[in-house]
């Protein structure tokens, strides 16, 4: 949620500038923001992907940063909030959460196509570009974690029930990963029918 919110151009990547803006806004100094960015960007790419956000060993740092950001920009109640304020916040979050897999897929599809059309690394095939964007480890298969991260990176907040359905719907051959054919059948069924 925080990653997607800070990703101003919605291309699935946080630039140093986007990260700095968010960090400065919640009270970090420029030096602290750069140090934190460098911890996340272990490969030295100059940008962050959703998978960088969950790097092992940085969980507490991500949590602290995310809570600060969510309190400042997304209405997360702080420790002094009344039980009624907390209840109202969680009710609002629940209402924002997509509760059906078809709705989640439709929302993700729309975001994916928009993102692919703006990407500087576009191949001209938005379906392939979307698969490549989600396949963070370049294995040629999508794990449940990569799919979950992709939905969140594209701004689709899904309920736990929908999360539980994802792999069973996407992984047609039940081998634990989603290949390109399975992905296109589920996310872009019309492109399969048109012979893509």
């Amino acid at each position: 949620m925080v990653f997607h919110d800070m990703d101003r151009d919605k291309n699935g990547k946080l630039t140093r500038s986007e990260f700095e803006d968010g960090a400065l806004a919640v009270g970090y100094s420029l030096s602290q923001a750069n140090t934190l960015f460098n911890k996340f960007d272990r490969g030295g790419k100059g940008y962050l992907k959703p998978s960088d956000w969950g790097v092992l060993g940085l969980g507490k740092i991500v949590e602290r940063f995310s809570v600060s950001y969510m309190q400042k920009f997304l209405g997360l109640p702080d420790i002094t909030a009344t039980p009624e304020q907390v209840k109202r916040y969680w009710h609002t979050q629940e209402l924002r959460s997509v509760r059906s897999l078809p709705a989640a897929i439709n929302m993700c599809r729309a975001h994916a196509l928009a993102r692919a059309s703006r990407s500087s690394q576009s191949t001209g095939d938005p379906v392939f570009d979307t698969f490549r964007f989600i396949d963070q480890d370049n294995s040629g298969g999508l794990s449940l974690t990569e799919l979950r991260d992709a939905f969140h990176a594209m701004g689709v907040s899904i309920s736990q029930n929908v999360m539980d359905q994802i792999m069973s719907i996407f992984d047609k051959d039940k081998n634990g990963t989603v290949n390109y054919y399975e992905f296109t059948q589920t996310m872009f069924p019309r492109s399969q029918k048109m012979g893509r």
Side-chain angles (χ1 to χ4, degrees), residues 16-37:
R16 182 178 293 274
S17 172
E18 289 171 327
F19 183 82
E20 286 173 355
D21 288 348
L24 291 170
V26 297
Y28 286 74
S29 69
L30 185 57
S31 173
Q32 290 170 320
N34 281 314
T35 299
L36 192 53
F37 183 88

Side-chain angles (χ1 to χ4, degrees), residues 111-122:
H111 289 286
L113 291 172
R115 190 207 64 75
S117 69
R118 291 189 311 264
S119 174
S120 62
Q121 300 172 350
S122 175

